[in-house]
Amino acid sequence: MISERKQALRRRMTAARDAIPQEVRADLSLRIAAHAIDAWARGAFAWGAGADGERPLRLAVYAAFRSEADAMELARWCWARGIPVAAPRVDAAAGEMTLREIAGEQCLVPGAYGIREPGPDAPTAPLAPGTLLLVPGLAFDAAGGRLGYGGGYYDRLLAHHRADVASGAIVVAAPAYAAQVVDVVPTEPHDAKVRFLITEEGIVDCRTGGRGNGIYAYERTGPGPDGRYFGQSGDGTDGDGDERGRHAAGDAASD
């Protein structure tokens, strides 16, 4: 069943991501953020009806937890230029997530499941056209498939904005290590996809699989030390590993 395939992939990708040394993750995160900043500045995250679209008007960024890729450097770049930034706040009891405005990292406090989030008094920020929404996850593929943690928070948030996401008015992108990219992520109809995949190796426009998008074509640089490409098991099937998820409670804070 697809749920069993997802759980097996979660275990394998959690172990693979956690195995990356902290200092390496920090370096990879800076490279990921540098690609995102360059793409933003050059209009690669364009939205709107114009011939060339427009650069995003605002950023929605998650606060990295445990071994996730950290894209906060992009938020710092936005703050320095007066670009509004928001972050998700989780209401675990209601099973909902909203975006709240933040003026800096000092606005983030420990929240649901120990993940940093805006305080309860932070102003609500709409998920509106012109937003670049960054989403975390465990595994991704070049077609935009995303494997989250099982909570469904981002799926529910984006379900209310399907038309804007489909048109590109809301741009959904995933910062991730190349080690998190697999051939195919098992997905279901309710699973939200990402438009752009941002790794230390470059950026994929998932609508083209990285081909002919005018920004970056994603290419694996080669096999890992065991002869396999990062993010793949030797036979293309799911492997084993510890399942820890994004948060202390398991699979509840964010999908």
Side-chain angles (χ1 to χ4, degrees):
M1 294 179 60
I2 194 166
S3 60
E4 295 173 348
R5 292 171 58 202
K6 284 183 172 182
Q7 286 297 87
L9 188 57
R10 284 191 181 102
R11 288 193 294 271
R12 177 163 67 88
M13 298 311 296
T14 297
R17 198 181 67 186
D18 288 349
I20 303 172
Q22 182 177 358
E23 63 274 14
V24 175
R25 294 199 306 266
D27 177 67
L28 297 180
S29 291
L30 288 176
R31 291 163 61 185
I32 289 167
H35 283 310
I37 290 168
D38 180 63
W40 185 310
R42 292 191 294 109
F45 298 135
W47 72 281
D52 298 321
E54 302 176 33
R55 290 172 178 79
L57 301 177
R58 63 190 68 84
L59 173 69
V61 63
Y62 63 90
F65 187 67
R66 294 186 175 174
S67 58
E68 289 175 337
D70 188 347
M72 198 57 68
E73 191 65 27
L74 175 58
R76 299 182 190 109
W77 182 85
C78 287
W79 284 317
R81 287 154 182 79
I83 299 171
V85 177
R89 178 176 172 82
V90 168
D91 182 339
E96 296 179 349
M97 183 172 70
T98 57
L99 298 178
R100 304 292 187 93
E101 296 176 8
I102 53 173
E105 292 175 81
Q106 72 279 2
C107 298
L108 298 171
V109 298
Y113 315 105
I115 300 171
R116 291 186 302 154
E117 63 180 23
D121 297 328
T124 299
L127 181 53
T131 301
L132 173 63
L133 173 67
L134 301 184
V135 299
L138 283 168
F140 304 90
D141 62 37
R146 169 184 173 268
L147 181 69
Y149 300 90
Y153 283 89
Y154 280 97
D155 292 331
R156 289 191 291 275
L157 176 67
L158 290 168
H160 301 293
H161 305 277
R162 291 186 185 277
D164 284 333
V165 171
S167 70
I170 293 174
V171 180
V172 183
Y177 312 119
Q180 295 178 253
V181 181
V182 298
D183 288 336
V184 179
V185 170
T187 59
E188 299 173 85
H190 67 269
D191 291 327
K193 290 195 170 187
V194 303
R195 169 66 187 276
F196 292 100
L197 177 58
I198 312 170
T199 80
E200 70 272 16
E201 298 183 358
I203 298 181
V204 178
D205 182 341
C206 295
R207 293 188 179 180
T208 65
R211 297 181 297 277
N213 54 30
I215 43 177
Y216 301 94
Y218 176 83
E219 297 178 357
R220 291 187 174 94
T221 56
D226 62 353
R228 302 171 183 174
Y229 285 102
F230 292 123
Q232 292 181 302
S233 60
D235 57 2
T237 60
D238 296 334
D240 294 322
D242 295 333
E243 182 176 17
R244 287 180 282 275
R246 184 164 195 250
H247 33 72
D251 288 340
S254 170
D255 66 323

